[in-house]
Amino acid sequence: GAGVSQTPSNKVTEKGKYVELRCDPISGHTALYWYRQSLGQGPEFLIYFQGTGAADDSGLPNDRFFAVRPEGSVSTLKIQRTERGDSAVYLCASSLGGTVQETQYFGPGTRLLVL
Amino acid sequence: QKEVEQDPGPLSVPEGAIVSLNCTYSNSAFQYFMWYRQYSRKGPELLMYTYSSGNKEDGRFTAQVDKSSKYISLFIRDSQPSDSATYLCAMSAGNTDKLIFGTGTRLQVFP
């Protein structure tokens, strides 16, 4: 079956612009996660959805970052007034039920470059 | 100090070698330990999952957790060129679903 898909695969934008990154989780997975991976680093947790609600958004770095999952499936990560430091790979993962014992399946990521 | 420390490598070994990858951590609340493999320009994929202390074996891979030392290891036997990737350790306290990742160790297995 299809895995987690993310679009776009690459995004180049200018400092100060607004960007949206999309994640399509595996069908039937109720849990969805966003991570950010900077060059040479491991993924850093941003936010976790259980269904439509954000169960844990403690990793969002500031109020320029926002994520939604209105119908409990597709999620969009929104970044306002982008800064050069936002350049990274943004990874999305989904799991069946959301308990830590369940496998998180990762998408290939969106590579964001802020000029 | 980071909660999870991992040597970034790179680690270069010949085909057939036994590889040892390690992470240390500072948070004694961590109970769930994972190893992920990440190929270049791909998302991480789960290799091994261990709860609390002990060993777990799956084919050529063995994961070890020593909670008393706050130290976890992944051993790869009979390493293959296809094992060349970045290996990430990840941990969770279990009362949340937040995974804390190490920086990853880049492994190169040459023929």
Side-chain angles (χ1 to χ4, degrees), chain A residues 10 33 35 37 40-45 48 50 56 58-59 91 98-101 103-109 111, chain B residues 2 8 32 34 36 38 40-46 49 88 92-104:
Chain A
N10 295 281
Y33 310 80
Y35 295 86
Q37 187 172 24
Q41 301 296 314
E44 175 190 11
F45 170 82
Y48 153 56
Q50 182 57 257
D56 184 351
S58 61
L91 293 164
T99 62
V100 70
Q101 300 94 321
T103 301
Q104 292 186 25
Y105 295 89
F106 283 80
R111 280 154 190 79
Chain B
K2 291 183 179 179
Y32 298 88
M34 295 90 171
Y36 282 80
Q38 186 173 26
S40 180
R41 304 187 74 82
K42 302 285 188 186
E45 57 178 328
L46 182 67
Y49 156 75
L88 297 151
S92 173
N95 56 341
T96 72
D97 298 296
K98 181 162 59 180
L99 289 180
I100 308 298
F101 283 85
T103 56

Side-chain angles (χ1 to χ4, degrees), chain B residues 7-20:
Chain B
D7 187 332
L11 181 62
S12 187
V13 301
E15 184 175 356
I18 297 174
V19 176
S20 172

Side-chain angles (χ1 to χ4, degrees), chain A residues 3-57:
Chain A
V4 176
S5 62
Q6 293 187 244
T7 54
S9 53
N10 295 281
K11 177 72 177 177
V12 181
T13 191
E14 294 179 344
K15 180 174 178 292
K17 298 289 187 183
Y18 168 83
V19 296
E20 289 189 352
L21 311 179
R22 177 188 167 109
C23 172
D24 278 89
I26 293 172
S27 178
H29 281 193
T30 63
L32 185 146
Y33 310 80
W34 283 99
Y35 295 86
R36 177 169 69 175
Q37 187 172 24
S38 300
L39 193 63
Q41 301 296 314
E44 175 190 11
F45 170 82
L46 295 177
I47 186 169
Y48 153 56
F49 286 91
Q50 182 57 257
T52 60
D56 184 351
D57 64 358

